[in-house]
Amino acid sequence: MRTITWNDDAQKVEMIDQRLLPQEFMINAYEQYQEVADAIRAMVIRGAPAIGAAGAFGIALAAYQSKASTTAALIEDLEEAGAFLNKARPTAVNLAWAVRRMLKETVVFDGSVDELRDHLLASAKAIADEDVEINKRLSEFGAALIEDGDHIVHHCNTGALATVDWGTALGVIRMAQEQGKKIHVFVDETRPRLQGARLTAWELEQYGIPYDIITDGASGYLMRRGLVQKAIFGADRVAANGDVANKIGTYMLALAAYDNGIPAFAAFPMSTVDFELESGNMIPIEERDEAEVLQLQLLGKRVTPGNASARNFAFDVTPARLVSAWITEKGVIYPPFTANIKAAMAE
Amino acid sequence: MRTITWNDDAQKVEMIDQRLLPQEFMINAYEQYQEVADAIRAMVIRGAPAIGAAGAFGIALAAYQSKASTTAALIEDLEEAGAFLNKARPTAVNLAWAVRRMLKETVVFDGSVDELRDHLLASAKAIADEDVEINKRLSEFGAALIEDGDHIVHHCNTGALATVDWGTALGVIRMAQEQGKKIHVFVDETRPRLQGARLTAWELEQYGIPYDIITDGASGYLMRRGLVQKAIFGADRVAANGDVANKIGTYMLALAAYDNGIPAFAAFPMSTVDFELESGNMIPIEERDEAEVLQLQLLGKRVTPGNASARNFAFDVTPARLVSAWITEKGVIYPPFTANIKAAMAE
């Protein structure tokens, strides 16, 4: 089952509600692009590649919602929908990338309004299918870096749930296991939304890959003790110089890996690279509701004082100097990234 | 009200139950040293200086529990009690330090069995009183390092609750505020026991010091954004070379501070230094029950999968190269620590 799919009978986009996992497995269906934007914002669906696909299906929904009778009027409606969808979450560039790619289809398309609607749906489905292929391809490249017996620290969730299917960084781990390598994963719990403790742990159980959950502050100690051989994570936006924006905590993980001579790999599709940004300092970092930090409970009770306040930046930026390599569908790219990525793209 | 006190009427040691704060304020009373060991293990009382005082009062209780009719027999019972108390938690050296200091009193004491019992109680009270004085003294030294307007990242809880009263790293912040400096604290929530989100937040509210709780993986990003001027934490055991064992997550915090040119201060009484250990690699690091990591709840439900497992190291070791200075009752000690600490102790 994919994280996000199109239901042809119902003409709706369906998503696994990731807020409820692993306690409850529920599918939500949406028939309006505004609902899709809300679902992205509320993190029903999350993970850069997955919200890219959600953006594409959002545009397809908008095409069917539109009352336009000319392609010009339809395109106008779609541009409005695209701007609305783009605002749902600011950091992951895949959302804007998918919306832009969908809108580009309208420019080259030659046909009736209804044909354009169907063409856009087909395009969204193609983006979703491609995501799975790309993830498997990058996972093949990445798995070659993983050795039998590795203990790997993994941050956030980058598995099937963070993508349409298969996963990026977690996809690399799955692929290594499928190749017969024995892997053990230290799962960063990934506060505040606990994507590691909830989603990555749940996925690893299904893949039969042994793991232990650790708190986000613990990986450095494990590395100093010699218990870790690799660190791997995804990306929400990568700047042209190689800086990687990813889930909050990634920078400190990469720093600990660097301090201990342990490779830190970022795995992502090329659609995550924002070639227009010279450096990671220009990546917009989403600040979310403080409630996500404060609502933590133990024994059924909230633990923070009633008047407590919090800051809740959802992402951080890891400077390229701390990233050992990019794992992409174009291959493993080593520093200096600026030069090597150009070469990889030119192939 | 002190974290730990002796109730003369009841002949019991009383402690604030820190597991329940900030939701409930409850005092537990103990009349057996074995109960004190259990309370230390279960973290009714925690924080290196506070568990030192608990160890001292534990020995006083053991003296009254003992049926011995000669001082030699009493000393034998106390040595057994001391060994039992020492086993409660392995990392903080203050526990062993206080027990050893109490047992030394028996060697030099000249008097009856009952007089020795009373002398030991007086010694435990003296250790507790001294702790408060020492904390205030080190806080005076530390406050000189804090500037008006500083935003300070603080890890775990090092306040009145981690000591008999006043605090170490948090004591420095309190003292700076009492000197009229405007301070804002970024409170690391400090997974898994959440001493920051629960105890430090609660103390800061009482002192009227503004704060925001952050997740443990967030301080690095705040530093890169220029939002932080200092990092400060306590210590559970410090090796002769300056390596600092402290609550898990401290190493990654110190690393982030170092990477951003931000001073990272460790504040602790000299009783935390274990001069017999050449390096921090020799400090025993407690591994606690995985349930502390796994029992996290959101919306009244446990978030981790039912079969999940975890690793739960309670402390880590920050190498001396990442520590900008020690803040102690002997003054602020800068690197090279090995040489400068000897000079400070000789004064």
Side-chain angles (χ1 to χ4, degrees), chain B:
Chain B
M1 152 98 222
R2 288 183 172 188
T3 302
I4 178 166
T5 48
W6 182 263
N7 182 324
D8 278 310
D9 299 328
Q11 290 274 91
K12 286 179 182 171
V13 63
E14 296 182 345
M15 304 175 193
I16 298 171
D17 190 337
Q18 301 193 31
R19 298 169 303 179
L20 308 176
L21 285 173
Q23 281 72 19
E24 248 181 276
F25 187 92
M26 199 164 88
I27 307 288
N28 296 351
Y30 303 107
E31 51 186 340
Q32 301 196 332
Y33 73 84
Q34 296 93 336
E35 296 173 317
V36 170
D38 284 346
I40 292 170
R41 198 174 299 115
M43 298 175 68
V44 170
I45 190 163
R46 27 64 51 200
I51 68 175
F57 282 117
I59 294 294
L61 282 177
Y64 291 111
Q65 280 172 255
S66 168
K67 307 276 183 249
S69 53
T70 65
T71 51
L74 177 57
I75 290 170
E76 224 168 88
D77 285 351
L78 296 177
E79 277 167 357
E80 199 182 303
F84 188 88
L85 284 159
N86 276 340
K87 274 188 293 185
R89 292 195 75 189
T91 301
V93 76
N94 312 61
L95 177 57
W97 169 87
V99 166
R100 195 166 54 240
R101 184 167 145 181
M102 290 292 283
L103 294 179
K104 262 191 202 158
E105 293 290 332
T106 66
V107 179
V108 295
F109 188 76
D110 187 19
S112 71
V113 176
D114 276 339
E115 284 167 346
L116 178 51
R117 291 187 170 104
D118 292 345
H119 175 71
L120 286 168
L121 175 58
S123 299
K125 287 178 176 175
I127 285 174
D129 289 343
E130 262 176 42
D131 180 61
V132 186
E133 281 164 44
I134 285 170
N135 291 336
K136 289 198 173 163
R137 210 174 317 141
L138 73 83
S139 294
E140 296 268 9
F141 286 121
L145 302 171
I146 307 298
E147 285 161 88
D148 187 37
D150 271 353
H151 297 262
I152 304 174
V153 176
H154 174 276
H155 195 65
C156 197
N157 173 266
T158 64
L161 291 168
T163 59
V164 175
D165 202 356
W166 187 262
T168 54
L170 204 57
V172 170
I173 290 170
R174 289 175 72 174
M175 191 64 80
Q177 191 217 26
E178 289 206 353
Q179 292 172 353
K181 293 169 188 164
K182 255 183 84 177
I183 313 290
H184 168 268
V185 183
F186 286 113
V187 175
D188 268 351
E189 64 176 7
T190 317
R191 286 281 295 145
R193 298 284 301 221
L194 298 159
Q195 291 93 336
R198 295 191 299 117
L199 308 177
T200 299
W202 184 73
E203 286 199 41
L204 287 170
E205 289 198 2
Q206 296 185 36
Y207 311 145
I209 299 173
Y211 72 91
D212 287 293
I213 297 172
I214 56 172
T215 57
D216 299 329
S219 57
Y221 177 69
L222 296 176
M223 289 173 183
R224 277 178 61 84
R225 280 275 294 260
L227 301 175
V228 172
Q229 285 74 47
K230 308 274 185 325
I232 187 163
F233 43 82
D236 289 84
R237 193 186 298 218
V238 178
N241 70 341
D243 291 353
V244 172
N246 191 48
K247 181 54 53 195
I248 191 81
T250 304
Y251 162 53
M252 292 172 82
L253 169 61
L255 208 45
Y258 189 86
D259 196 48
N260 289 281
I262 289 168
F265 299 121
F268 50 84
M270 277 294 180
S271 56
T272 308
V273 184
D274 188 341
F275 290 100
E276 287 170 22
L277 292 190
E278 271 171 46
S279 120
N281 296 335
M282 302 163 76
I283 298 173
I285 298 294
E286 179 182 11
E287 184 166 10
R288 293 180 62 85
D289 193 330
E290 63 176 0
E292 292 184 346
V293 175
L294 299 175
Q295 70 195 356
L296 200 71
Q297 296 176 327
L298 284 173
L299 306 168
K301 286 182 188 167
R302 188 180 127 147
V303 301
T304 50
N307 296 321
S309 61
R311 293 299 292 273
N312 181 19
F313 292 101
F315 304 94
D316 63 23
V317 178
T318 299
R321 67 183 150 89
L322 302 177
V323 179
S324 307
W326 293 1
I327 299 170
T328 78
E329 73 272 26
K330 297 279 187 186
V332 176
I333 299 171
Y334 292 95
F337 293 113
T338 313
N340 290 343
I341 190 66
K342 274 186 196 145
M345 294 299 281
E347 270 172 20

